[in-house]
């Protein structure tokens, strides 16, 4: 079938995505100095995501103000996110946004890439992304949490990779971080049973960096954000770059990357005195 994607006007980096686009996406977006907060905001649908949601996230990423160093992703209401809006399977998609049937592989590939772009920018070295998760994080919601650098979860969190149970595969960037965190065998077990992982197990598996009581979630995320912002900004960016490279580099390549990044740091810290 033809690419059903509706072309959105590109967001103006000075103002970010329009209110209309955010409303259609079911998102709120707030910037406070170096901290940006994205709130999934369809609590009456348990923050289920439409194609507009994923494109709204991509749009936020494209226009993120340069001074933002921490991005917090959270959900309004009882759940982080119930994943894809199931209404879209039964023709409830927004106008012009029909569900692709894969018949035109090239167009469908481009369509899905556009949705994935909503998540991939959260790994940029210039920012640290924090998923503040509570309640259900299912399918695309679980994958959104996995797209973030750090997961702070409430003790009522329930992760579930539901896609295979619906006849689909997890396709919004979640399989790589899942395997990197829990390993191939556990990832297979979680995906191919589509079972629910509660907060305690999530912590044991490394799916959460912090597990806190539900009413301490915002406070913990605030404290983490403060700690992240206290670090030298240039060192933070260079260190994230290094850490992201490490899993695919050989030891030799990683040692070279450390030297390269440290030269940049030394130049910035001491270069002016030696010039
Ligand atoms: N899509 C659309 N509507 C949803 C929804 C979803 N994924 N999840 C919940 N809702 C709606 C319900 O239909 C209900 O609407 P009404 O009030 O009109 O009846 C409302 O949100 C509240 O839902 P519940 O009463 O079920 O709320 P709950 O708190 O008791 O349960 C829940 C929450 C466990 C998330 C449950 O709603 C649920 O299981 N939802 C479906 C989850 C699901 O299967 N998601 C698909 C994942 S696969 C995926 O995400 C694919 C991908 O990205 C590629």
């Amino acid at each position: 079938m033809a690419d059903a994607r509706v072309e959105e006007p590109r967001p103006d980096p000075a103002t970010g995505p329009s209110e209309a686009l955010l409303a259609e996406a079911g998102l709120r977006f707030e910037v406070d100095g170096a901290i940006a907060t994205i709130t999934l905001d369809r609590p009456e649908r348990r923050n289920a995501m439409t194609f507009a949601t994923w494109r709204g996230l991509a749009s936020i990423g494209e226009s993120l103000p340069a001074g933002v160093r921490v991005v917090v992703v959270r959900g309004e209401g009882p759940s982080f996110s119930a994943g894809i809006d199931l209404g879209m399977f039964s023709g409830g998609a927004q106008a012009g946004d029909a569900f692709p049937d894969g018949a035109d592989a090239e167009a469908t590939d481009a369509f899905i890439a556009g949705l994935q772009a909503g998540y991939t920018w959260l790994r940029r070295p210039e920012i640290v992304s924090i998923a503040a998760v509570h309640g259900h994080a299912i399918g695309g919601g679980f994958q959104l949490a996995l797209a973030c650098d750090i997961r702070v979860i409430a003790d009522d969190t329930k992760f579930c990779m539901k896609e295979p149970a619906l006849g689909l595969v997890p396709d919004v960037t979640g399989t790589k971080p899942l395997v990197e965190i829990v390993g191939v065998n556990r990832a297979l077990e979680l995906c191919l049973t589509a079972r629910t992982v509660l907060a305690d197990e999530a912590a044991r598996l490394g799916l959460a960096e912090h597990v806190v009581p539900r009413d301490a979630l915002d406070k913990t995320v605030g404290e983490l954000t403060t700690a992240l912002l206290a670090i030298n900004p240039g060192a933070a960016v260079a260190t994230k770059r290094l850490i992201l490279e490490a899993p695919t580099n050989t030891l030799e390549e990683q040692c070279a990357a450390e030297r390269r990044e440290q030269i940049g740091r030394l130049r910035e810290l001491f270069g002016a005195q030696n010039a």
Side-chain angles (χ1 to χ4, degrees), residues 153-216:
I153 70 170
D155 52 8
D156 67 347
T157 294
K158 298 176 183 70
F159 287 124
C160 173
M161 201 65 93
K162 186 80 174 282
E163 288 83 347
L166 301 175
L168 299 168
V169 299
D171 70 341
V172 272
T173 79
T175 54
K176 186 169 171 64
L178 182 66
V179 168
E180 285 170 350
I181 294 168
V182 304
V184 167
N185 307 78
R186 180 63 69 189
L188 276 173
E189 187 258 339
L190 293 181
C191 292
L192 298 189
T193 60
R195 74 174 171 87
T196 297
V197 177
L198 303 181
D200 282 355
E201 185 185 4
R204 280 201 307 280
L205 292 177
L207 288 167
E209 278 61 50
H210 298 280
V211 183
V212 297
R214 173 73 187 90
D215 60 6

Side-chain angles (χ1 to χ4, degrees), residues 14-81:
T15 55
S18 69
E19 283 304 318
L21 187 144
L22 289 171
E24 190 199 358
L27 297 171
R28 291 205 315 270
F29 177 56
E30 285 130 4
V31 177
D32 178 8
I35 307 166
T37 304
I38 299 171
T39 303
L40 305 169
D41 194 22
R42 293 178 78 209
E44 72 289 354
R45 284 274 166 269
R46 301 300 182 260
N47 301 326
M49 298 162 159
T50 64
F51 296 141
T53 311
W54 285 303
R55 291 201 289 263
L57 290 169
S59 189
I60 290 172
E62 279 169 32
S63 58
L64 197 70
V68 169
R69 293 183 55 202
V70 175
V71 176
V72 177
V73 183
R74 58 185 296 281
E76 196 62 61
S79 301
F80 179 72
S81 172

